[in-house]
Amino acid sequence: MEKNAKIYIAGHRGMVGSAIIRKLNAEGFENIIFRTSSELDLRNQQAVSDFFQKEKPDYVFLAAAKVGGILANNTYRAEFLYDNLMIQSNIIDSAHKAGVTKLMFLGSSCIYPKLAPQPLKEEYLLTGELEQTNEPYAIAKIAGIKMCDAYRAQYGSNFISVMPTNLYGPNDNYDLEKSHVLPALIRKFHEAKKNKVPHVMMWGTGTPKREFLHVDDLAAACFYLMQTYNEPGLVNIGTGEDIAIKDLALTIKNIVGYEGEIKHDLEKPDGTPRKLMNVDKLSNAGWTASISLNEGIEMVYDGLKTKDWY
Ligand code: GFB
């Protein structure tokens, strides 16, 4: 990417989009454009098309999506399918029509079959049934990958797809009903410590395993792949290491300094038993993660002092 290239970040206020902007700014890119959702509703085809025709960006990071944790995915099933299909279809098609040089579509590790062999290789896509709790989100993301590939095949568009593992970092969502496990547990342990509550309730059995990547690492990987990777298909972005949710809870409990007990709400779903990325393709392309989980959680916890619940 040339330093003066016009770069559109879709989803710039989200955890991923804001991390990509921090990375681009740090690398000296200044011609970055974005719109808030009230300025541009990405579900509106005409509005998105007009925006692309007017702005004609050179590069696009498609990080806009309706996202959430296991309960949000399972509750707002229609919105997760509709909003994501609309957002990504409008952007990908408008990017093609406006002659965008390159577009990166960000997906998720939940696109893989629920019971796929671990670690998850890119080639396992569409080889089995999806996890039920996030099937609508996964179907939308799979459509996004296939759309990038179809536009490449039919029109020669340089549209690439990357699949991040579970992410955490600055600008994460701390709403206890809608968030992912890592921010939820930080908040639960912190509030329990502050209010001297004797136990913290975590969801499910704690036996599922997840892989966690700091969003600054993700942004670095996206920046790297935007400049080096030009293939169809998908590339996993992760650390290659996972942890059981109950061990994640103990790690966070320690960092927060909470001394009470952990209890389990078994009415809440466990979701996929394991979701560990195989990151061989990414490391062969020349990139590896550098922020350890402990270090990452400490950085995140340090940055929360301005939250109203802190
Ligand atoms: O992070 P999480 O919501 O999403 O949940 P997924 C991961 C695991 O943590 C599940 C457990 O087994 C949860 O039951 N868990 C324990 C908790 N305590 C809590 C808690 O307080 N809050 C939450 N949220 N979980 C999502 C997908 O799946 O991950 C999306 O639904 C997407 O599609 C995203 O792929 C990355 O990893 O299960």
Side-chain angles (χ1 to χ4, degrees), residues 70 73 108 137 166 179-181 188 203 210 269-270 275:
I70 192 165
N73 267 265
S108 161
Y137 182 70
N166 289 35
S179 62
H180 291 98
V181 60
K188 285 181 181 178
W203 298 353
R210 295 288 183 273
D270 267 349
K275 231 177 359 176

Side-chain angles (χ1 to χ4, degrees), residues 169-182:
N171 299 324
D172 209 342
N173 177 1
Y174 287 85
D175 176 312
L176 292 179
E177 292 296 306
K178 294 182 180 161
S179 62
H180 291 98
V181 60
L182 194 150

Side-chain angles (χ1 to χ4, degrees), residues 188 200-208 262-271:
K188 285 181 181 178
V200 157
M201 193 63 90
M202 61 182 276
W203 298 353
T205 59
T207 54
I262 298 176
K263 290 192 177 174
H264 295 261
D265 175 357
L266 298 175
E267 301 285 298
K268 295 284 193 303
D270 267 349

Side-chain angles (χ1 to χ4, degrees), residues 2 57-59 95 98-103 157-159:
E2 321 71 48
D58 301 308
Y59 294 88
V100 162
T101 306
K102 187 166 179 180
L103 174 146
S157 313
N158 194 2
F159 293 173

Side-chain angles (χ1 to χ4, degrees), residues 144-163:
I145 299 168
K146 294 298 176 187
M147 202 162 162
C148 288
D149 286 352
Y151 277 61
R152 175 183 293 277
Q154 186 174 343
Y155 305 123
S157 313
N158 194 2
F159 293 173
I160 61 170
S161 298
V162 300
M163 297 305 119

